[in-house]
Amino acid sequence: MKVSPLDRKTSLSIFDRMLMMRYFEEAVLRLYQERQFASHFHLYIGQEATGAAVLEALGDKDLICTTHRNHGHLIGRGSDPGQTMAEILGRSSGLNRGRGGTLHASDPSRGFLSTSAIVGGCAGLATGAAFGIKTKRESNVAVGFFGDGSLEEGLVIESFNIAALWKLPVIYVCENNSAGAMGPQQGGYPTAITATDSFTRLPAAYGIHCVKVDGADIAAVYAAATEATQRCRAGQGPAFIEAFTVRWPGSSPLWPEPATVTDLNEAWDPARLKGPHVAWLRDHDPLLRTARDIVAHGYVSQDEVMAHDKDARARVEAGAAFAIESPMPLSETAHEHVFA
Amino acid sequence: MRHGRLEKADADEAAVNRVVLPPKDEAISLLRTMQLIRAFEEQVRSLFFGGIIPGLVHLCAGQEAVAVGVCSQLRTSDKIASNHRGHGHCLAKGADVRRLMAEIMGRRSGYGLGRGGSLHIFDVVNGNLGTNGIVGGGIPLAVGAAFSAKRNGRGDVAVCFFGDGALNQGLLFEAMNMAAIWRLPVVFVCENNGYGEFTASEHVTAGRDPKARGASFDIPSEAVDGMDVLAVREAARRGISRARAGEGPSFLVCTTYRYGGHHAGDKQEYKDTAEIEAWRQKDPIERLGRQLQDENLVTSKVIAALKGAVETEVREAVEFARAAPMPEPQDLGLHLYA
Amino acid sequence: MPNARNITYRSAVLEALAGEMRRDQNVILIGEDVGAAGGVFKQTDGLHAEFGEERVIDTPISEAGAFGLAIGAAMAGQRPVFEVMFGDFITLVMDQLVNQAAKVNYMSAGQFSVPLVLRTAVGIGANLGPQHSQSLHAWTAHIPGLKVVMPSTPADAKGLMTAAIRDDNPVVFFEDRMLYNVSGEVPQFEHVVPIGSAEVKRPGRDVSIIATSRMVHIALAAAELLAHENVSVEVVDPRSLVPLDIDTLVASVKKTSRAVVVDGGYRQYGVTGEIAATIAEEAFDWLDAPIMRVGGANVPIPFSKSIEPLMLPDAAKLAAIVAQLLHGTR
């Protein structure tokens, strides 16, 4: 569906979130290559438009649940890049004091619940958060971000049933990054083994309001998210948004690779595009697309975009430096927080 | 509280399910098996209140048509997985009435040497993977048996029976997805009796139509009048043939009713008596009896004789079971491992 | 060891799997990413190519449903090896494992058996965080009807996987992924280690260290350190938790009079308690000192590099604990 462009303020706000997400993830990859941390990790590159636009539509008191692919959601929500990076590096100044790491980074001060790395886990938690909101008669919403793989877990379906039955104010955002194909990805990590030909049929069977959007189109995502939050706040029950993105070429199951490096000049100077992933950059990179669009709408000039770019890069760098200099957790603290 | 779909179901299902009369012998066999189940459940109920049966029993009086209609289309080598309300499934699949009664009474002559009871009745000779104490627990077992059947290539199929309560189990969803992707020869049979334990299913089951849950995987899904054994038989025949032909799973949502409570002893305060009476008007045994008499296939005398015969059979099973020995202490460790 | 050559733990398990799949058509492999991807740690590499998608099956992310399917298939004549990708995820299959698989043979009085293997990789040390590092073997060992094995060496891994597949009961096979690249002598052809047989990995006189899985290697290293101080340590590897070879463990303790039990799961209500209590029951009069228990710290496993290693003892720490035991201080 063609949605009218967003206003200047909203567009720029979303764009700034996306810039932070992108540079943060590129920094994570760089720090991994520099052996600043070891672990499996998952990057949000290529999915920024979805997260940023949804987060833009939320209020400060709304609650968020995310998965192993959480960095983008945290940074997009405004979590401190230094503390977030510190968590990924396992430092005591990290969001979870080094106990969670990349898989479980979470920021309760910004409305994040516990980040589950068990596929499907966050759907249950988000549903529960919504139940709490409803019980307390608040007008907030709970959002659960998860991927297409989650729709294979029975727990998610049980959550749909309960959320629909009790008209809970929860928004399920399914970020489908399986390159637009249903079924196992060609020659690699299968991210969707499902018998349905359309994921929205699953929540629809429970009477949940469902919407599909182009996950790289900030106006479409924002419109869907706004509609969903309004429905929830009006007591109309849960919503399911399926946002499609084309998977970033650097995404592997366990070890991301530096397939592309961001240069916003490529947005208006396609001659600059080079390397093996020109098609992805040109047709599917949500950051380049959004940069192109906000200039085309007359909201900013190219120079102004580059100023935002420089700003985001600097903030991320500062965060990375803070993280690298942060101390590791002390042995004596290993047993803290087992119990409240 | 009412069974939410009573009126709507009639209209829908009449359209979908045309009644096809089987040959006389088969029709009588359908009637007899339903009568057997009814008589068996009445005896179990009475024994339970007499303090003879320990634990809990979950009776299926009223739901006989589903078990009988489906199992009438199965071979001995086909598999079924049952649930907690499974005596009817066991009998319809050919269980020995005496061994079944003995197991429910916890006797050593029962199917499980008395250690399983009503909730854990296995019958390998008849392909019965067991009644089950976990809601939905048997569903993936049937899907696994279907997987095995597909590998064996002999055209066998598997059926799982579950109630409307199990519709909300994530396990059902996962099992349906896999059955569909891998085109497994399994038929999912939901006995929608309107109540999950003491709660009306409309209060716990979101979405207007349970069929949609199978349909969202493109599994052929039908609503069936579960009080009409001939309708069940036809729908089962469709699903089972599809499975045998390698076309994958089917899903039957059979609207039915249990006259009794969730378990024997449940006072059913969540139902009103008018509702129970209304459903008794649709009694599957009476219905088939009338149909067969209308077609002049049987007389009322024959029906009475059949009833008498199964009641005798069940009484003999009770005597057998009551005379059967209890398990011994040294039995405790038997069959812990294969 | 006849026809032995040096291969890794990972390869040894793979050899067992491939060998059994060749020998018996009913053996199938079911799990997430076990087929086309060859396993997230390459632990099933090559099987899909050799045996095809009919026998090496990639499931959706539906652990409970898929494991239930494996149980049903086993009851119907298959011999599945079901992989749970990370040991922590055993929580997702627990109902099917505990309430179905473990009890079917018993409840049906032998009419149906469940000849399957549930294999899963555990292991602290790769900074995988609290939900990807746990070893919950103690939970499974608690359930009558299951067998539980934890091989520590490549040879034992091959032998126990072979035995597990051939066993007609549900066997839970815990492998430590930190051992995947450890090499050892492994017989080239058929090799079976009986389930329920412990092994003395290093004979000694002064103290028995009973250790499981990766802790065996820690114990052996500690034994080396202690040998420099003229302490002779005997390292005993139970290899199977259920059934437990009590006779071998007790024989060792009767010889040395002192025991330390080391296990990688959380210490509280864990394997060390069970083994220590069993030894106390059987060999009390032979003991010169209380039995020591060394287990994983009773905290969720933290991500950070500086504190993750505190979860388990290293060789030096273990040697120090043993030394304290011998010198009568605790």
Side-chain angles (χ1 to χ4, degrees):
Chain A
M1 87 177 161
K2 205 71 184 91
V3 178
S4 41
L6 301 171
D7 63 42
R8 182 177 185 276
K9 182 161 175 278
T10 311
S11 299
L12 287 184
S13 177
I14 293 175
F15 183 64
D16 280 335
R17 292 181 204 261
M18 292 172 66
L19 281 171
M20 286 300 293
M21 289 168 169
R22 175 63 59 92
Y23 292 126
F24 186 86
E25 296 294 66
E26 286 186 355
V28 169
L29 186 46
R30 200 181 68 242
L31 291 183
Y32 174 75
Q33 290 172 318
E34 290 170 14
R35 296 187 188 285
Q36 290 285 351
F37 74 97
S39 184
H40 300 181
F41 62 106
H42 308 83
L43 299 179
Y44 202 61
I45 297 175
Q47 299 181 208
E48 296 91 348
T50 306
V54 171
L55 291 167
E56 182 71 28
L58 299 182
D60 288 342
K61 297 218 182 75
D62 293 327
L63 300 177
I64 300 165
C65 247
T66 173
T67 65
H68 50 282
R69 201 180 297 281
N70 55 61
H71 310 161
H73 302 136
L74 288 163
I75 295 300
R77 180 68 162 166
S79 291
D80 179 72
Q83 288 181 305
T84 311
M85 189 64 84
E87 184 56 36
I88 295 167
L89 300 196
R91 307 301 167 106
S92 59
S93 56
L95 293 171
N96 307 55
R97 314 245 170 110
R99 279 136 222 282
T102 162
L103 294 177
H104 304 287
S106 174
D107 189 355
S109 73
R110 286 183 168 76
F112 284 85
L113 302 180
S114 188
T115 297
S116 170
I118 303 294
V119 174
C122 77
L125 295 175
T127 307
F131 177 76
I133 289 167
K134 182 161 181 170
T135 305
K136 290 187 279 185
R137 299 179 197 279
E138 293 166 351
S139 61
N140 307 320
V141 311
V143 174
F145 286 101
F146 50 84
D148 43 282
S150 283
L151 289 172
E152 295 160 15
E153 278 287 5
L155 174 69
V156 177
I157 261 48
E158 294 182 2
S159 299
F160 288 165
N161 185 47
I162 292 169
L165 216 49
W166 298 345
K167 286 186 155 8
L168 299 179
V170 55
I171 302 169
Y172 300 106
V173 180
C174 173
E175 300 190 67
N176 186 343
N177 63 5
S178 289
M182 283 301 173
Q185 243 191 344
Q186 291 290 332
Y189 182 77
T191 58
I193 303 186
T194 181
T196 190
D197 62 359
S198 168
F199 279 127
T200 48
R201 293 173 73 182
L202 303 175
Y206 296 81
I208 291 177
H209 177 76
C210 298
V211 167
K212 283 191 215 233
V213 292
D214 173 0
D217 178 347
I218 61 170
V221 177
Y222 184 77
T226 306
E227 186 204 13
T229 55
Q230 283 165 355
R231 286 179 56 93
C232 282
R233 298 193 212 286
Q236 291 175 323
F240 178 93
I241 300 172
E242 183 180 6
F244 292 87
T245 56
V246 176
R247 202 176 180 95
W248 175 56
S251 257
S252 303
L254 302 175
W255 311 112
E257 291 159 1
T260 60
V261 174
T262 304
D263 174 4
L264 286 189
N265 288 304
E266 292 169 1
W268 31 81
D269 187 3
R272 284 175 178 254
L273 289 167
K274 55 188 173 301
H277 305 295
V278 167
W280 186 85
L281 287 165
R282 186 187 59 228
D283 301 333
H284 301 295
D285 183 343
L287 192 62
L288 293 183
R289 172 176 172 172
T290 306
R292 238 187 333 267
D293 287 349
I294 55 176
V295 168
H297 292 141
Y299 293 156
V300 280
S301 65
Q302 289 175 8
D303 284 346
E304 282 167 329
V305 168
M306 295 318 284
H308 281 250
D309 181 283
K310 188 171 171 205
D311 197 53
R313 285 178 191 267
R315 287 179 59 202
V316 167
E317 266 321 293
F322 167 81
I324 291 168
E325 266 139 52
S326 289
M328 297 294 275
L330 297 173
S331 310
E332 305 87 88
T333 66
H335 288 238
E336 286 173 6
H337 307 297
V338 176
F339 291 112
Chain B
M1 285 187 225
R2 295 179 52 83
H3 187 324
R5 259 178 278 292
L6 183 52
E7 289 99 11
K8 187 175 187 306
D10 286 342
D12 280 357
E13 284 133 23
V16 172
N17 301 295
R18 299 173 315 282
V19 166
V20 173
L21 269 183
K24 178 178 171 180
D25 285 348
E26 201 194 322
I28 291 177
S29 171
L30 293 173
L31 186 64
R32 188 189 187 282
T33 311
M34 287 198 290
Q35 286 174 329
L36 174 64
I37 296 171
R38 181 69 56 89
F40 187 91
E41 296 293 71
E42 273 169 16
Q43 273 293 344
V44 169
R45 189 171 179 279
S46 149
L47 290 164
F48 175 81
F49 285 113
I52 311 291
I53 292 178
L56 287 175
V57 286
H58 306 79
L59 304 175
C60 69
Q63 298 187 195
E64 298 87 350
V66 182
V68 173
V70 172
C71 291
S72 73
Q73 301 302 297
L74 295 176
R75 308 170 186 161
T76 309
S77 56
D78 292 323
K79 303 286 190 289
I80 64 164
S82 170
N83 61 358
H84 53 283
R85 200 175 303 288
H87 303 161
H89 308 140
C90 294
L91 288 169
K93 196 62 169 69
D96 177 295
V97 188
R98 301 182 317 159
R99 287 186 71 191
L100 184 64
M101 188 62 83
E103 185 58 34
I104 294 167
M105 278 196 210
R107 303 297 168 119
R108 207 175 189 281
S109 317
Y111 273 105
L113 290 178
R115 70 263 302 274
S118 170
L119 287 180
H120 310 290
I121 305 193
F122 298 79
D123 178 4
V124 66
V125 161
N126 287 302
N128 183 347
L129 301 172
T131 58
N132 211 297
I134 303 295
V135 172
I139 294 169
L141 301 184
V143 176
F147 179 91
S148 182
K150 182 169 177 172
R151 278 206 80 206
N152 291 337
R154 288 193 292 268
D156 287 339
V157 308
V159 170
C160 50
F161 292 101
F162 51 92
D164 44 281
L167 283 173
N168 302 319
Q169 267 286 322
L171 210 47
L172 171 64
F173 164 83
E174 293 183 0
M176 280 188 164
N177 184 33
M178 285 182 280
I181 305 165
W182 297 328
R183 285 178 158 264
L184 298 179
V186 58
V187 182
F188 294 94
V189 179
C190 174
E191 291 170 305
N192 183 0
N193 65 15
Y195 294 96
E197 286 196 276
F198 318 125
T199 307
S201 54
E202 63 195 339
H203 290 178
V204 291
T205 308
R208 286 193 203 300
D209 187 3
K211 288 199 309 291
R213 299 177 182 203
S216 56
F217 293 118
D218 286 331
I219 293 175
S221 305
E222 283 188 50
V224 185
D225 179 356
M227 302 304 271
D228 178 350
V229 70
L230 300 180
V232 174
R233 178 177 165 277
E234 268 308 293
R237 191 188 53 75
R238 281 192 285 277
I240 290 164
S241 319
R242 259 200 295 274
R244 284 203 215 288
E247 289 165 26
S250 303
F251 179 36
L252 306 181
V253 184
C254 304
T255 306
T256 181
Y257 195 79
R258 53 165 162 85
Y259 301 140
H262 167 63
H263 55 78
D266 165 19
K267 293 194 176 62
Q268 303 196 79
E269 280 155 3
Y270 46 91
K271 290 184 187 175
D272 61 60
T273 39
E275 175 188 285
I276 305 176
E277 272 320 300
W279 280 90
R280 280 205 186 264
Q281 299 306 308
K282 297 158 82 60
D283 185 273
I285 298 171
E286 300 285 312
R287 181 179 187 159
L288 182 64
R290 274 197 309 275
Q291 278 172 303
L292 297 186
Q293 284 177 93
D294 288 347
E295 297 293 320
N296 292 315
L297 290 174
V298 294
T299 62
S300 58
K301 269 177 84 173
V302 167
I303 292 177
L306 281 173
K307 188 163 183 264
V310 300
E311 281 169 359
T312 302
E313 191 180 349
V314 171
R315 264 196 313 274
E316 282 171 1
V318 173
E319 278 164 28
F320 167 83
R322 291 190 73 161
M326 296 294 280
E328 300 282 311
Q330 51 266 35
D331 287 352
L332 195 63
L334 283 179
H335 302 293
L336 178 62
Y337 291 119
Chain C
M1 230 183 255
N3 299 304
R5 72 281 195 252
N6 234 279
I7 61 170
T8 63
Y9 187 110
R10 177 198 285 102
S11 299
V13 180
L14 199 45
E15 255 184 21
L17 273 172
E20 290 304 286
M21 289 180 80
R22 284 175 203 131
R23 190 184 61 82
D24 182 350
Q25 284 297 305
N26 291 318
V27 180
I28 56 180
L29 177 64
I30 304 176
E32 294 167 10
D33 295 326
V34 295
V40 289
F41 297 106
K42 292 294 173 206
Q43 69 277 22
T44 52
D45 209 18
L47 295 176
H48 189 249
E50 182 174 349
F51 300 102
E53 64 181 16
E54 214 200 61
R55 292 180 67 194
V56 180
I57 297 121
D58 280 325
T59 73
I61 312 172
S62 308
E63 293 82 358
F67 186 58
L69 184 155
I71 298 170
M75 289 167 76
Q78 307 297 306
R79 301 188 77 90
V81 175
F82 185 87
E83 182 180 293
V84 171
M85 195 190 280
F86 284 82
D88 317 64
F89 305 165
I90 222 169
T91 52
L92 292 157
V93 304
M94 274 311 261
D95 175 69
Q96 291 287 314
L97 181 64
V98 170
N99 287 322
Q100 313 293 343
K103 298 176 169 59
V104 162
N105 196 73
Y106 188 85
M107 294 192 290
S108 72
Q111 290 181 79
F112 287 101
S113 62
V114 183
L116 63 72
V117 179
L118 190 166
R119 79 175 288 197
T120 188
V122 301
I124 304 172
N127 301 115
L128 296 171
Q131 289 177 349
H132 288 72
S133 309
Q134 296 167 102
S135 189
L136 300 172
H137 50 284
W139 275 16
T140 64
H142 185 58
I143 309 301
L146 299 178
K147 295 190 179 179
V148 182
V149 302
M150 300 184 74
S152 67
T153 61
D156 285 346
K158 177 172 178 175
L160 282 171
M161 178 55 85
T162 306
I165 292 172
R166 295 181 186 190
D167 198 305
D168 287 337
N169 296 286
V171 180
V172 193
F173 183 100
F174 287 92
E175 51 204 268
D176 195 315
R177 73 181 75 87
M178 306 303 284
L179 293 176
Y180 275 164
N181 293 324
V182 165
S183 287
E185 294 282 290
V186 178
Q188 189 176 1
F189 304 113
E190 183 185 279
H191 175 57
V192 181
V193 168
I195 295 177
S197 68
E199 188 179 53
V200 175
K201 287 296 203 280
R202 178 191 172 113
R205 286 181 318 275
D206 299 327
V207 59
S208 303
I209 301 183
I210 296 155
T212 60
S213 193
R214 184 168 29 129
M215 297 301 107
V216 169
H217 299 268
I218 306 290
L220 290 169
E224 269 305 304
L225 290 174
L226 287 160
H228 293 316
E229 295 173 35
N230 291 318
V231 175
S232 166
V233 174
E234 176 151 295
V235 176
V236 186
D237 178 359
R239 303 198 290 190
S240 299
L241 295 183
V242 181
L244 185 65
D245 179 359
I246 297 167
D247 291 345
T248 302
L249 305 190
V250 165
S252 172
V253 177
K254 283 184 177 176
K255 187 171 70 161
T256 64
S257 307
R258 285 178 176 80
V260 178
V261 191
V262 191
D263 174 77
Y266 300 119
R267 187 174 185 272
Q268 59 189 62
Y269 290 89
V271 162
T272 57
E274 173 75 18
I275 294 178
T278 306
I279 292 170
E281 283 163 356
E282 302 288 325
F284 185 75
D285 292 330
W286 282 260
L287 288 169
D288 286 345
I291 302 166
M292 300 288 291
R293 297 195 288 146
V294 182
N298 292 329
V299 296
I301 299 152
F303 163 80
S304 182
K305 266 197 169 115
S306 68
I307 48 177
E308 191 199 42
L310 298 176
M311 289 300 301
L312 292 172
D314 56 25
K317 279 210 187 74
L318 183 55
I321 292 170
V322 174
Q324 274 184 334
L325 178 67
L326 285 164
H327 299 129
T329 57
R330 264 187 289 145

